[in-house]
Each structure stands twice: as structure tokens, then as C-alpha cells.
Amino acid sequence: MKKTIWVILAALSTLLILTGCSSNSSEHKSSASSKAELVKSSSSKKKHSEKKKESSSEKESSSSSLPSEVSSSSSTQSSENMGEDRGGYVTTPEAMRGTWYSKDENGMRKLVISDHEITFISPDGETNHAILYKRTNDIPSDVSESERQSKEEWRSAGNIGTNGISMRGWYQLQGGGEHFFAHEEEIDGQKVPLVLYGFGANDLTDYVYYPSEDLANQQSDAKYDDINYKF
């Protein structure tokens, strides 16, 4: 009987020892797994943090380069120095832009005005072109003939009020300049835009330009009371 009890106790003891070892092994595996997860999570967070820093660095780099580019663009746009004493273009009044016609005893004259340029076409087809600039320095007195010819189309120009333009030769030292004025007259009950042109030291009108050849022919001998004619 005693022998039987000792056998049972020995079996129970062995069972308890095996159960304890199994439990310790499971706890060790669980602990190792938890440690691996912590290492993996920490590594993932570190990589995410590094990517975030890189992204932030790229944004800062892009942001820091933007003001430089904008500044450069603004500087280019605001600069009016075109070289050779030109401080930018002179802009014609919008009311006088277009193609205009004037008829006298010599034939039909044509005048073409754009934003910064004026072209004359005489009755015999001769063309004279003028580009309007702001002059930034005084005219030198010792200009060679070849230099004058190279700037033949350049004009030193300026606005006269809100509806006029005056211009002189780029190296012109003496004599009067040329002037243009946007004007309006009532013709056959209709208000018609005109361009008045004159040359010399005063603002007197030499030619009246109309918006069409038909009107120029029709009004070739007309004189208007509110226009100061030279002749």
C-alpha cells in the first residue's frame, strides 16, 4: 500500500515539473516575441521620423529657393534699362492706335500707330519708321554719321497730357520735334476719332488723319474751328 502511494506521488511530482517547464518555455517565447515587436515598432517609428525629416528638409529647400527666383523675376520685370541711354519704351495713347489716312493735293498719306511705334507712308510710298524710347542721358555733341544712321529709327519721345505724343530724332540737337494728338470731330452727325499731326516748335497741325480712306477723301478740304492749323 505504501509502495503504491509513493509511486503516485512520484508520478504527480514528475507531472508538476513537466508542467512548470512548459509554462516557463511559453513565457520565454512570449517575452521574446514581445521584444521583437518592440524592436520592429521602434525601427518603423525611426524610419518614419527620418522620412518626415527628409520631407521637411526638401520643403525648406524648395521654400528657400522660391524667394530668390521671384526676386530675380521681379527685378527683370521692373528694370527699364534697355541700354544705350534707353530707359524703356514710351507708350502711345490707346485712342490714337490704328491705321489713319490724310488726303491733300499731293495724294493719300498713311499713318500706322501701335503701342510703341509709329510708321509714316508718304503718297509716293516712302516709309519712315519710328520706335519710341525714353532717353536717360543728354545727347552727346560728337556723334559720328555712322552712329546716327544706326539709330535712324529711334526716337526720344514723351507723352503730352493723356492724349498726345511728342518725339525727336535720337541725336537731334536743333529744330522742333513732331507731335501727335488724339482728337474727335462730329462729321455728318457722327463723332469721328482723328489724329492730328504737326512738326516744329509749336503744337500747330499740319495734317489731319482719318480712320478710313473714304473719310479722308471726303474731308480733304475740311477745316474745323477747334483745330489750330499751321496753314
Side-chain angles (χ1 to χ4, degrees):
M1 181 67 178
K2 288 181 179 182
K3 186 177 181 180
T4 302
I5 291 171
W6 280 110
V7 170
I8 293 172
L9 288 174
L12 287 173
S13 177
T14 301
L15 181 61
L16 286 173
I17 290 170
L18 290 175
T19 301
C21 289
S22 176
S23 175
N24 287 338
S25 176
S26 295
E27 287 175 2
H28 177 71
K29 288 182 181 179
S30 176
S31 176
S33 176
S34 296
K35 286 181 180 179
E37 288 296 326
L38 285 172
V39 170
K40 184 178 180 181
S41 175
S42 176
S43 176
S44 175
K45 287 181 180 180
K46 183 177 181 181
K47 287 181 180 179
H48 178 72
S49 176
E50 287 175 352
K51 286 183 179 180
K52 188 173 181 180
K53 286 181 180 178
E54 289 176 0
S55 176
S56 176
S57 176
E58 288 174 0
K59 286 182 179 180
E60 288 176 2
S61 175
S62 174
S63 177
S64 65
S65 66
L66 182 61
S68 176
E69 293 172 358
V70 171
S71 176
S72 175
S73 175
S74 299
S75 175
T76 301
Q77 291 175 1
S78 63
S79 175
E80 292 187 345
N81 184 9
M82 301 174 71
E84 299 189 84
D85 298 332
R86 292 173 298 168
Y89 292 106
V90 172
T91 303
T92 60
E94 188 174 354
M96 67 169 56
R97 295 173 202 162
T99 302
W100 309 86
Y101 305 87
S102 181
K103 176 71 177 294
D104 63 9
E105 65 275 7
N106 295 314
M108 186 72 72
R109 299 174 185 276
K110 190 174 178 180
L111 178 67
V112 181
I113 302 177
S114 63
D115 290 11
H116 315 296
E117 301 180 13
I118 297 176
T119 301
F120 298 91
I121 303 174
S122 68
D124 60 4
E126 181 182 353
T127 299
N128 289 301
H129 189 62
I131 308 172
L132 312 178
Y133 296 112
K134 301 173 186 175
R135 176 173 268 286
T136 57
N137 291 311
D138 293 337
I139 301 171
S141 57
D142 54 345
V143 180
S144 67
E145 186 59 30
S146 61
E147 174 64 15
R148 289 181 185 277
Q149 290 179 1
S150 71
K151 306 296 189 296
E152 189 175 4
E153 293 187 345
W154 293 15
R155 297 292 186 276
S156 174
N159 294 97
I160 307 173
T162 58
N163 67 337
I165 285 286
S166 67
M167 68 181 191
R168 292 166 59 90
W170 192 248
Y171 291 121
Q172 182 180 342
L173 289 169
Q174 298 178 349
E178 300 169 87
H179 52 265
F180 306 80
F181 290 99
H183 189 69
E184 189 177 77
E185 288 289 345
E186 186 172 314
I187 301 173
D188 297 332
Q190 299 286 332
K191 290 190 177 297
V192 177
L194 308 173
V195 171
L196 310 182
Y197 166 76
F199 55 89
N202 50 47
D203 292 338
L204 300 180
T205 297
D206 289 272
Y207 299 106
V208 175
Y209 283 88
Y210 296 85
S212 71
E213 290 188 70
D214 288 343
L215 268 175
N217 278 313
Q218 175 189 320
Q219 301 295 116
S220 60
D221 295 325
K223 295 287 185 179
Y224 304 102
D225 294 337
D226 58 348
I227 295 177
N228 294 320
Y229 296 91
K230 186 178 290 183
F231 306 107

